[in-house]
Amino acid sequence: MAALIVSIGLNGCKQQGGSAADSNEIIIGEYASLTGTTATFGVSTHNGVLLAIEEANAAGGVNGKKIKLITEDDRSKADEARVVVTKLVTQNKAVAVLGEVASTRSMTAAPVCQQYKVPMVSPSSTNPEVTRKGDYIFRVCFTDDFQAAVVGKFAYDKGYRKAAIFKDMKNDYSVAFADNFAKSFIKQGGKVVGEQSYQEGDTDFKSQLNTLKAAGPDAILCPGYYSEVGTIGRQAREIGLNVPILGGDGWDSPKLVPGAGTALNGCYFSNHRFSRELDLPEVKAFIANFKKKYNEEPDALAALGYDAAGLVVDAMKRAAKLDGPGIRDAIARTEGFKGVTGVITLDKNRNARKEALILRIDGDVFRVEKTYRPEELGQ
Ligand code: PHE
């Protein structure tokens, strides 16, 4: 199934050759993990991006020009992200770049966009450092100062007092999420009783899980990606570690539950404000249009890809000049953009303030347990 979607995505938009734009088209570059360890992130995001671009072109494009999307696969690798983004801006002459999902990859490629003065908009990288790479770097999602604080508050409000942390030590998102969670949980009166780490690609987590089990936590925070979290959940249950496991947006994948079996049933993770269960007209319309095009349900990544692309197109329509600096300035002025994942206003640090959800895993459905606004966390 995933392979089929990838090939549709590639046929639908990946362009051959490296020619610059003709004067009747505007080139937007996209870099995404269409294959590799986190392929569902890239494929979902790309499908959302492509839908937004097609809708924009059907509605007349930007000042009579059509948008051409050129998508590059970074194979879920940070070094490759830098290589393909360099190609997009130097060879393809993209005037804006969309990507990435994973914070580590966004942080690796951002300096290239900054150097060539091409604005980069990440749909979903949440590590605070991403947009600190320079004034050409934006995101349309919240940051982990907020997201991880939400999980810390939720955990404390649930009555957990002793938390253990199990993080991916090579993943900038996972490491910072763990720190921000600990700060929030401790501030409220909770205690972090143990901490262990793993690396992407590991398959045996039992020795760390045994150490965490011995610390006697009420819950375990595992802010990693779906690629490992499913296995971690299963192995935790196998060694008799049966406390709830908590996570963040990195769990959002149609592959999480198939990887975990029933191990994560009743567990919770934070996510962007998107769910089939939300009774909001913009969410319902997006889901219907997405299903019509792809014959499957979108996840939050698809919705964020759609919003990131839509926001860039909106900025292009307002830009004084359709070049990198002109589009950058228009993106920076974005106020009240009505996205599927919330209303987006970019602050002076080029970040968005948006609501977060806590979702509960119920079989293969992610149910909305709670919604948090930034103000509730004093942010
Ligand atoms: N927020 C994650 C990161 O910064 C990426 C992610 C976003 C994963 C949304 C899943 C869903 O690395």
Side-chain angles (χ1 to χ4, degrees), residues 314-316 318-320 325-334:
D314 173 75
M316 284 175 161
R318 296 183 280 106
I327 297 166
R328 189 226 84 94
D329 290 349
I331 294 173
R333 287 195 303 269
T334 300

Side-chain angles (χ1 to χ4, degrees), residues 136-157:
Y136 276 72
I137 316 301
F138 300 86
R139 77 180 107 217
V140 301
C141 57
F142 51 60
T143 62
D144 290 328
D145 314 37
F146 173 58
Q147 177 176 210
V150 162
V151 180
K153 176 159 172 48
F154 176 77
Y156 193 83
D157 291 347

Side-chain angles (χ1 to χ4, degrees), residues 41 101-103 124-126 173 225 249-250 272 301:
F41 291 168
V101 171
S103 289
S124 48
S125 285
T126 46
Y173 153 78
Y225 292 158
D249 55 354
H272 305 271
L301 291 132

Side-chain angles (χ1 to χ4, degrees), residues 126 142-144 146-152 154 173 177 181 221-224 245-252 267-274 300 355-360 366 370 372:
T126 46
F142 51 60
T143 62
D144 290 328
F146 173 58
Q147 177 176 210
V150 162
V151 180
F154 176 77
Y173 153 78
F177 194 119
F181 167 86
L221 174 81
C222 187
I245 304 177
L246 310 173
D249 55 354
W251 286 25
D252 187 13
C267 291
Y268 302 93
F269 67 100
S270 56
N271 207 359
H272 305 271
R273 200 218 64 191
F274 180 79
E355 292 175 338
L357 304 180
I358 291 283
L359 302 175
R360 181 169 46 87
F366 300 154
K370 238 174 142 18
Y372 288 91

Side-chain angles (χ1 to χ4, degrees), residues 28-145:
I28 297 183
E30 179 197 18
Y31 66 115
S33 53
L34 297 177
T35 59
T37 47
T38 54
T40 77
F41 291 168
V43 172
S44 286
T45 304
H46 171 65
N47 287 343
V49 166
L50 188 59
L51 180 62
I53 302 288
E54 285 183 2
E55 286 179 4
N57 280 335
V62 175
N63 306 342
K65 293 178 199 242
K66 292 276 183 246
I67 301 158
K68 180 166 153 186
L69 178 70
I70 303 183
T71 304
E72 287 291 339
D73 179 10
D74 61 31
R75 296 183 281 134
S76 303
K77 293 182 163 68
D79 289 344
E80 193 63 19
R82 190 192 299 110
V83 170
V84 298
V85 168
T86 304
K87 175 195 169 275
L88 287 169
V89 300
T90 61
Q91 279 176 252
N92 300 118
K93 309 287 182 205
V95 289
V97 169
L98 296 167
E100 235 260 17
V101 171
S103 289
T104 299
R105 297 195 284 268
S106 288
M107 285 158 69
T108 307
V112 177
C113 293
Q114 184 67 30
Q115 180 190 344
Y116 289 98
K117 295 193 174 358
V118 172
M120 176 185 124
V121 179
S122 167
S124 48
S125 285
T126 46
N127 182 299
E129 291 302 319
V130 172
T131 47
R132 292 184 189 141
K133 294 286 175 191
D135 61 351
Y136 276 72
I137 316 301
F138 300 86
R139 77 180 107 217
V140 301
C141 57
F142 51 60
T143 62
D144 290 328
D145 314 37

Side-chain angles (χ1 to χ4, degrees), residues 64-368:
K65 293 178 199 242
K66 292 276 183 246
I67 301 158
K68 180 166 153 186
L69 178 70
I70 303 183
T71 304
E72 287 291 339
D73 179 10
D74 61 31
R75 296 183 281 134
S76 303
K77 293 182 163 68
D79 289 344
E80 193 63 19
R82 190 192 299 110
V83 170
V84 298
V85 168
T86 304
K87 175 195 169 275
L88 287 169
V89 300
T90 61
Q91 279 176 252
N92 300 118
K93 309 287 182 205
V95 289
V97 169
L98 296 167
E100 235 260 17
V101 171
S103 289
T104 299
R105 297 195 284 268
S106 288
M107 285 158 69
T108 307
V112 177
C113 293
Q114 184 67 30
Q115 180 190 344
Y116 289 98
K117 295 193 174 358
V118 172
M120 176 185 124
V121 179
S122 167
S124 48
S125 285
T126 46
N127 182 299
E129 291 302 319
V130 172
T131 47
R132 292 184 189 141
K133 294 286 175 191
D135 61 351
Y136 276 72
I137 316 301
F138 300 86
R139 77 180 107 217
V140 301
C141 57
F142 51 60
T143 62
D144 290 328
D145 314 37
F146 173 58
Q147 177 176 210
V150 162
V151 180
K153 176 159 172 48
F154 176 77
Y156 193 83
D157 291 347
K158 264 317 259 183
Y160 310 144
R161 292 295 176 265
K162 292 183 287 171
I165 292 176
F166 195 28
K167 66 185 178 194
D168 178 344
M169 62 193 265
K170 291 262 173 75
N171 177 328
D172 292 306
Y173 153 78
S174 192
V175 171
F177 194 119
D179 287 352
N180 282 307
F181 167 86
K183 255 190 246 154
S184 154
F185 191 65
I186 292 165
K187 199 170 94 194
Q188 288 169 82
K191 214 174 148 197
V192 175
V193 294
E195 187 157 351
Q196 290 288 304
S197 56
Y198 64 92
Q199 283 185 44
E200 185 184 78
D202 287 355
T203 52
D204 184 352
F205 305 94
K206 285 191 178 161
S207 90
Q208 298 101 306
L209 288 169
N210 269 311
T211 307
L212 294 178
K213 184 182 170 195
D218 302 324
I220 296 175
L221 174 81
C222 187
Y225 292 158
Y226 71 91
S227 33
E228 282 78 28
V229 168
T231 311
I232 290 171
R234 264 191 294 113
Q235 293 184 2
R237 303 324 180 207
E238 277 164 29
I239 63 152
L241 178 52
N242 291 319
V243 297
I245 304 177
L246 310 173
D249 55 354
W251 286 25
D252 187 13
S253 169
K255 293 212 168 146
L256 180 73
V257 171
T262 55
L264 296 176
N265 230 348
C267 291
Y268 302 93
F269 67 100
S270 56
N271 207 359
H272 305 271
R273 200 218 64 191
F274 180 79
S275 159
R276 270 170 253 177
E277 293 191 342
L278 295 176
D279 193 15
L280 298 166
E282 65 274 24
V283 171
K284 293 208 138 105
F286 171 71
I287 293 175
N289 293 335
F290 190 94
K291 269 182 157 164
K292 201 164 137 205
K293 182 167 166 57
Y294 299 107
N295 200 22
E296 62 171 30
E297 297 276 352
D299 53 19
L301 291 132
L304 287 161
Y306 181 83
D307 282 354
L311 184 144
V312 167
V313 171
D314 173 75
M316 284 175 161
K317 291 181 182 161
R318 296 183 280 106
K321 216 173 158 209
L322 277 175
D323 59 4
I327 297 166
R328 189 226 84 94
D329 290 349
I331 294 173
R333 287 195 303 269
T334 300
E335 238 187 271
F337 176 81
K338 291 198 179 62
V340 169
T341 57
V343 176
I344 301 168
T345 295
L346 294 177
D347 66 18
K348 63 177 194 323
N349 299 317
R350 301 169 298 284
N351 300 322
R353 259 167 75 87
K354 290 159 81 185
E355 292 175 338
L357 304 180
I358 291 283
L359 302 175
R360 181 169 46 87
I361 299 176
D362 178 6
D364 56 4
V365 181
F366 300 154
R367 305 225 175 266
V368 178

